[in-house]
Amino acid sequence: MNLGDLSRYRTELMGLSALLILICHSTLYIYMPSIVVYALSVANIGVDLFFFLSGMGMWYSLQRRCDVFHKGHNQNLVGGGIIHWYLNRYRRLFVPYLLTLVPMVICQAAMGNAPAHGIVDYVLYITSFRFYVSHDAPWFIAAIIPLYLLAPLFFSLIKKYAWQASALIIVVMWSILLIKPTSDTEVINDILQNIQFVSVRATSFVLGISLGEYVQQLRRVRVSLLALLVFLGGLLVLLSKHLVYGYFFFSLPALFIMVYILDKCNNGLNRFACFMGKISLESYILNGALPRMMISLFVFVGIPLIGNVLPYLAACVIGTVVGWVLHTLSDKLQRINLISNENTY
């Protein structure tokens, strides 16, 4: 297995990850037997795959920034270089995010399904930080904001200390689970639990940064190592009784399974996966709001719900179309001197 394939198919892999998230989200709206719900919930790993691919992209981006601002042996990020990098990353995140979310919030409020109440609550929701208080906001965005902030630190440590730094960062993130809620204030306990939830899932982001250099060098990975990761992940799931704890170990094998599928399938699937990869952020945000709106609309018009299958399918189709429109508009806005020319990483 060649790690370079993860870069070659990066957009397509993001697209397949987005499809997994749509499948996982269907269990929140469509009435299904519990065993089917559990089986489809495994698709939740799509978020962890996003984290891995984002971390891998951060390595490429930070390495290029090093090369531009510090030729020679000095590979540190300082001064204008890192400031420019932060502006680039957050603009790339927030332009499509806000362009997609704000209209959805307005539409939800107009239909009587306001996602927040009061100015402070709306600000917390739109910035995604309400997730840490109530577990109710686009949690991937709430997680990626601090991860972008920490990415240069992770990058520098991993560049200097290699796998030792990666292992230490991941252990620290996992060890946050050991902190027990002790406050008498329920909100504080909720914040701690949500931070723990993010820290475990975000370990795939660190793994992506850690393997970035090996991806660029086209290093190969033995199938036996991937099998060992699956075994360790399965063992951890059995011991912890929590499926999400195994996603860190399952991420790399799952990505290589996707690479194999993309290699073997026709160009039609590759083109569709590439299309979904380009609108992955928009589709994720839209899928958080559109299903409820479609269910309300179907009920109002009198269209049969069929266990909410029809409104969810309608939400996916409309979300794909609207996501492409918003992606195109976002891309044009970012070309108006908002972001310097940079490749997809």
Side-chain angles (χ1 to χ4, degrees):
M1 296 294 185
N2 193 321
L3 285 168
D5 289 336
L6 301 181
S7 178
R8 181 163 63 97
Y9 285 122
R10 183 172 183 267
T11 304
E12 290 87 344
L13 292 172
M14 292 181 71
L16 294 179
S17 299
L19 290 175
L20 286 177
I21 293 172
L22 295 183
I23 292 172
C24 174
H25 283 181
S26 68
T27 63
L28 301 175
Y29 306 102
I30 299 176
Y31 300 110
M32 304 180 234
S34 57
I35 188 170
V36 177
V37 170
Y38 183 80
L40 294 182
S41 67
V42 175
N44 191 24
I45 194 175
V47 181
D48 300 77
L49 302 185
F50 264 121
F51 277 132
F52 179 96
L53 295 169
S54 296
M56 188 181 75
M58 291 306 98
W59 187 91
Y60 273 83
S61 177
L62 288 163
Q63 181 59 49
R64 185 175 55 255
R65 187 58 54 190
C66 282
D67 294 340
V68 170
F69 282 89
H70 298 277
K71 295 180 180 180
H73 298 290
N74 185 2
Q75 295 294 312
N76 294 320
L77 285 163
V78 295
I82 189 59
I83 294 173
H84 180 78
W85 184 87
Y86 275 128
L87 290 174
N88 247 355
R89 298 325 308 176
Y90 284 118
R91 282 171 179 169
R92 281 183 176 272
L93 175 66
F94 279 111
V95 170
Y97 170 64
L98 294 177
L99 190 63
T100 305
L101 184 69
V102 172
M104 285 297 99
V105 169
I106 295 173
C107 290
Q108 285 177 284
M111 295 182 66
N113 297 317
H117 301 281
I119 295 177
V120 174
D121 199 25
Y122 266 105
V123 170
L124 287 174
Y125 180 79
I126 290 175
T127 59
S128 79
F129 286 116
R130 195 176 76 177
F131 165 80
Y132 291 104
V133 178
S134 62
H135 206 86
D136 181 24
W139 81 266
F140 177 80
I141 306 298
I144 208 69
I145 291 173
L147 287 175
Y148 278 3
L149 185 65
L150 294 170
L153 174 62
F154 293 163
F155 173 82
S156 298
L157 291 173
I158 292 169
K159 284 283 287 184
K160 186 173 183 179
Y161 299 108
W163 66 267
Q164 294 96 327
S166 304
L168 178 61
I169 295 169
I170 291 170
V171 167
V172 169
M173 294 175 74
W174 274 89
S175 64
I176 295 176
L177 287 174
L178 301 176
I179 303 175
K180 300 297 182 182
T182 57
S183 174
D184 295 332
T185 305
E186 185 177 352
V187 173
I188 295 178
N189 291 336
D190 288 342
I191 291 174
L192 174 60
Q193 290 174 1
N194 289 322
I195 290 175
Q196 291 172 329
F197 175 84
V198 167
S199 67
V200 170
R201 305 296 294 274
T203 51
S204 293
F205 181 85
V206 179
L207 182 62
I209 296 179
S210 304
L211 294 180
E213 186 171 7
Y214 299 114
V215 171
Q216 187 180 47
Q217 294 173 353
L218 308 182
R219 295 282 189 90
R220 301 191 67 84
V221 176
R222 293 182 179 180
V223 175
S224 58
L225 176 59
L226 299 178
L228 176 61
L229 290 174
V230 172
F231 171 77
L232 291 175
L235 183 62
L236 185 58
V237 170
L238 289 175
L239 294 175
S240 66
K241 307 299 182 183
H242 287 286
L243 187 61
V244 295
Y245 291 168
Y247 288 161
F248 169 78
F249 297 94
F250 297 150
S251 293
L252 192 58
L255 287 169
F256 274 116
I257 291 173
M258 290 181 177
V259 167
Y260 179 82
I261 293 172
L262 291 169
D263 271 337
K264 297 300 180 181
C265 289
N266 57 39
N267 290 332
L269 174 64
N270 290 29
R271 286 195 294 267
F272 179 67
C274 184
F275 169 79
M276 289 300 299
K278 291 178 180 178
I279 65 168
S280 54
L281 179 60
E282 290 84 358
S283 67
Y284 165 75
I285 299 166
L286 289 167
N287 195 253
L290 277 178
R292 293 187 184 90
M293 295 171 63
M294 288 296 102
I295 292 171
S296 298
L297 182 61
F298 273 50
V299 171
F300 179 78
V301 176
I303 301 175
L305 299 179
I306 312 181
N308 288 342
V309 172
L310 289 183
Y312 189 75
L313 290 177
C316 290
V317 173
I318 294 172
T320 301
V321 176
V322 174
W324 176 251
V325 173
L326 292 173
H327 170 77
T328 303
L329 179 58
S330 171
D331 188 58
K332 289 182 178 179
L333 286 174
Q334 293 185 66
R335 291 178 186 275
I336 307 175
N337 295 324
L338 282 175
I339 301 176
S340 63
N341 292 328
E342 205 173 8
N343 66 25
T344 54
Y345 286 109

